Amino acid sequence: MENGGDQEEPKIELFVKAASDGTSLGDCVFCQRIFMILCLKKIKFSVTTVDMTKKHLFKALPSLGTKIPFLMIDGEEPITDVTEMANYLEKRLAPPMYPKLEPNNPEAAMAGTEIFQKFSKFIKNSSQGDEERLQRALYIALVQLNEFLVRRLPDEIDDDTDENSPSERKFLDGDQLTHPDCNLLPKLHHVRVATKALKGFEIPEDLTGLWRYLNAAYETEEFKKTLYPDEEVIKTWQKHMESSAQMSRGNAVHVAPKAS
């Protein structure tokens, strides 16, 4: 898979999680983040999917353990930390030759950062006593993101603009995808798909800023190109739910009975 122009460029290889069929693109939010960044940088690169059930057969993995994704540039030492990958690519593929992906507004980098953690706790929960509390925590995090998306950023306000009127921007930092979007959008996609399929919880329609944001993402080539079937998301989180429930049952068995 290649992107980019005709200029001499570094050789970039991205290794990502394969889907359940062992070959097509898998549902890893961290893999998609780096994949999106490379697409936005409009550079040539290759993508190799790794079947995680057969990773012991993959020649590049022994020295890397189970780290996926990982990035190789010009045959240098592989980068396995996702944040380090994003920072390295921004520094190495800098303007004017490549687009700048750092946001202009610092707030954009912090928006929605708690959502995936809240979602993970909610989706893995098997205790009815905690269900309402965890769903509420996720809902509040989604509301906070929605509030950010409908609030105008400083560069959306001028002498002719009512600063209290809702923002119409497409993404976190404006109308162009930036690093924070590459981090947040894959996670929001998992939230949308998995909570509806496995918990019967849907992102409320009245969170109009959040839905505008998601729908804008689904229209971009960079997001569509790096996406995977919803069924892959559901399978992954179903396994997490089953594992969590099994662990909870095991812990319950080992709880000593109270003395009478």
Side-chain angles (χ1 to χ4, degrees):
M1 189 174 298
E2 295 187 344
N3 293 284
D6 299 325
Q7 294 181 340
E8 186 175 343
E9 296 174 331
K11 180 183 179 183
I12 298 179
E13 301 170 90
L14 176 63
F15 296 80
V16 300
K17 173 187 174 183
S20 54
D21 64 7
T23 56
S24 55
L25 191 63
D27 65 304
C28 173
V29 298
F30 308 108
C31 297
Q32 190 179 6
R33 175 185 178 182
I34 303 304
F35 199 169
M36 286 180 67
I37 289 170
L38 288 169
C39 288
L40 287 165
K41 287 292 184 180
K42 303 191 182 304
I43 186 171
K44 292 180 180 179
F45 63 96
S46 67
V47 177
T48 301
T49 56
V50 179
D51 184 347
M52 298 304 288
T53 66
K54 299 176 182 178
K55 58 182 180 289
H56 60 287
L57 302 176
F58 194 73
K59 294 180 180 179
L61 279 177
S63 64
L64 300 170
T66 58
K67 291 284 189 179
I68 290 289
F70 69 89
L71 191 69
M72 296 184 70
I73 301 180
D74 289 337
E76 298 173 0
E77 188 71 20
I79 305 172
T80 59
D81 180 83
V82 177
T83 301
E84 186 180 342
M85 286 182 220
N87 292 340
Y88 182 90
L89 290 172
E90 187 64 18
K91 183 177 179 180
R92 178 78 180 263
L93 307 177
M97 185 175 294
Y98 303 101
K100 170 181 173 287
L101 298 184
E102 285 297 327
N104 293 321
N105 298 278
E107 281 185 283
M110 300 305 297
T113 53
E114 293 186 352
I115 288 176
F116 200 61
Q117 180 188 39
K118 305 292 185 186
F119 156 72
S120 181
K121 288 182 178 180
F122 172 53
I123 203 78
K124 292 178 183 177
N125 176 57
S126 58
S127 169
Q128 284 300 314
D130 293 328
E131 190 77 352
E132 184 177 347
R133 175 180 61 82
L134 294 173
Q135 179 177 306
R136 178 69 179 170
L138 173 60
Y139 170 74
I140 290 172
L142 293 171
V143 168
Q144 289 172 340
L145 174 60
N146 183 74
E147 290 173 348
F148 173 76
L149 289 165
V150 298
R151 187 172 70 246
R152 287 184 178 271
L153 296 171
D155 53 14
E156 294 181 282
I157 301 170
D158 56 33
D159 293 339
D160 299 321
T161 304
D162 178 3
E163 64 179 274
N164 294 316
S165 61
S167 172
E168 293 294 331
R169 70 185 185 278
K170 293 180 180 180
F171 305 114
L172 293 175
D173 193 53
D175 287 334
Q176 303 298 321
L177 289 165
T178 58
H179 276 298
D181 299 301
C182 297
N183 184 25
L184 182 58
L185 282 167
K187 296 173 181 177
L188 278 179
H189 178 67
H190 276 234
V191 172
R192 183 189 68 77
V193 172
T195 55
K196 180 179 180 180
L198 301 173
K199 291 282 192 173
F201 172 81
E202 298 187 53
I203 298 174
E205 291 182 5
D206 61 356
L207 299 185
T208 55
L210 202 162
W211 276 111
R212 183 183 71 243
Y213 179 47
L214 274 173
N215 289 330
Y218 289 129
E219 291 298 317
T220 66
E221 186 65 25
E222 294 83 5
F223 195 65
K224 289 188 292 185
K225 188 174 184 176
T226 60
L227 212 50
Y228 26 78
D230 289 357
E231 291 75 14
E232 292 295 318
V233 177
I234 295 167
K235 284 179 186 177
T236 291
W237 289 103
Q238 202 159 30
K239 288 178 182 177
H240 283 308
M241 289 173 68
E242 291 167 358
S243 176
S244 181
Q246 187 175 11
M247 187 178 299
S248 296
R249 287 194 297 270
N251 290 338
V253 168
H254 289 91
V255 173
K258 294 182 179 179
S260 56

